[in-house]
Amino acid sequence: MANEEKRVLDLEKGINFRELGGYKTKDGTTVKYHKLLRSAGLSDLTDNDLNYLKDYGFKIDIDLRSKQEVDSKPDKKPAGVRYVWAPVFQEDETKSSEVQSETYIPEINGDPTNGYAHMLDVYRDIITGDSAKAAYRKFFNQLLLNVNDNEVLLFHCSAGKDRTGMGAVFLLKALGVPLETIKEDYLLTNVANKEYVDNLISELEAKGYNEPEVLNSVRDLMTVHNNYLTTALNTIDRSYGSLDKYIKEELKVTSSEINTLKKIYLE
């Protein structure tokens, strides 16, 4: 990839900002650059970051967070960006926004060590929840409107890994990207977020949280696992038949819309 076409964008205060261009589809076409970004929150972006994103082509901001998260940390965005709120959950089930707060105390439903099990439940809810299905349908509506070359739709949540991660899974699958590539993109969060998560763990240790099972639980909340995505895909296969059927029947993305998406995003 050329330097201006990095996979992970180098921002001052933007975490897990990633370009989806360059992925190959089964048909031999390629996802266009400067059309799709996925990321964590936008609330801490610097002026330099905002200028960088403006120059990058940022035009549509899809916010997958809950109302509480939006109110607590509203997005910063360049002038002229259209903001679209599409909450996957009524409240942040992923706990990412809590972990990111300075007052965070490691306790998930009374148990500070059950982050991994909690995240498996989150991924089942992302697949089966009516609010999640409505949010991802809204996401696809906006994807279909992003018709101009070099105009970027960015979609995000708080950590850019679970709600955003599944949005990327649905989108890339609709475009015909192989599942193996989709999984690689999903797991790239652990590389893009590594420094940030390591710092979070260090801050908790400095506050006196030294039990390995507690720190591992927080790490489970702030990273992605292959098993998280497998849980989502198994839930889809068991309840809806296949990922393709889920996209068409549950997210209501028609064959015609998929063809339109391919025209917009592939070359």
Side-chain angles (χ1 to χ4, degrees):
M1 283 187 287
N3 190 48
E4 69 271 22
E5 296 171 343
K6 290 180 181 176
R7 177 69 61 213
V8 182
L9 303 191
D10 186 16
L11 298 176
E12 293 176 343
K13 290 289 186 179
I15 297 164
N16 206 8
F17 276 69
R18 282 149 56 192
E19 167 69 72
L20 291 181
Y23 287 130
K24 301 286 187 188
T25 70
K26 294 175 182 176
D27 299 333
T29 54
T30 306
V31 180
K32 293 176 185 175
Y33 285 100
H34 290 265
K35 289 297 294 173
L36 295 163
L37 291 176
R38 52 171 295 178
S39 77
L42 277 61
S43 63
D44 295 327
L45 295 177
T46 66
D47 288 344
N48 287 339
D49 290 338
L50 292 172
N51 287 331
Y52 178 92
L53 290 170
K54 182 178 180 181
D55 291 343
Y56 205 86
F58 181 23
K59 294 293 184 184
I60 305 173
D61 171 13
I62 311 295
D63 190 344
L64 301 172
R65 299 177 300 161
S66 66
K67 185 177 187 305
Q68 180 184 3
E69 292 169 275
V70 172
D71 290 345
S72 173
K73 288 194 164 187
D75 283 357
K76 289 182 182 175
K77 52 196 180 297
V81 170
R82 182 167 79 250
Y83 176 83
V84 179
W85 183 46
V88 171
F89 298 129
Q90 297 308 306
E91 59 184 53
D92 179 16
E93 291 189 21
T94 70
K95 305 295 182 186
S96 294
S97 56
E98 289 181 29
V99 177
Q100 290 170 321
S101 72
E102 293 181 4
T103 57
Y104 174 65
I105 298 172
E107 182 174 85
I108 303 100
N109 297 333
D111 182 351
T113 65
N114 79 339
Y116 179 81
H118 174 80
M119 290 308 300
L120 296 180
D121 287 338
V122 165
Y123 275 79
R124 294 184 191 101
D125 288 347
I126 286 177
I127 298 307
T128 60
D130 287 339
S131 64
K133 292 175 188 176
Y136 290 120
R137 175 62 243 194
K138 199 171 187 179
F139 169 51
F140 273 100
N141 287 344
Q142 294 301 315
L143 287 166
L144 289 160
L145 296 175
N146 184 29
V147 296
N148 296 328
D149 281 347
N150 297 311
E151 291 194 356
V152 174
L153 179 147
L154 179 151
F155 58 105
H156 77 95
C157 50
S158 283
K161 65 187 189 74
D162 307 310
R163 291 164 287 187
T164 300
M166 287 310 301
V169 169
F170 299 143
L171 167 59
L172 293 174
K173 188 69 170 80
L175 293 177
V177 174
L179 194 56
E180 197 55 45
T181 304
I182 292 172
K183 288 179 179 178
E184 289 172 7
D185 177 74
Y186 171 81
L187 291 170
L188 186 58
T189 278
N190 291 340
V191 177
N193 269 4
K194 185 179 187 307
E195 182 180 355
Y196 178 75
V197 174
D198 287 347
N199 288 341
L200 268 179
I201 297 297
S202 296
E203 288 171 12
L204 287 172
E205 288 175 329
K207 292 176 182 177
Y209 296 103
N210 296 304
E211 301 92 335
E213 61 270 26
V214 173
L215 297 176
N216 286 337
S217 180
V218 172
R219 196 174 284 278
D220 286 335
L221 289 173
M222 294 308 295
T223 55
V224 290
H225 285 253
N226 198 46
N227 283 352
Y228 296 170
L229 181 55
T230 299
T231 294
L233 296 176
N234 286 347
T235 301
I236 287 172
D237 288 345
R238 190 167 55 248
S239 299
Y240 307 102
S242 70
L243 183 50
D244 286 324
K245 281 184 70 175
Y246 181 86
I247 291 168
K248 288 183 177 179
E249 296 178 9
E250 299 302 315
L251 304 185
K252 311 295 184 190
V253 183
T254 67
S255 296
S256 173
E257 287 174 330
I258 288 174
N259 287 335
T260 299
L261 289 168
K262 289 178 177 179
K263 288 174 185 172
I264 295 172
Y265 295 103
L266 300 179
E267 59 186 7

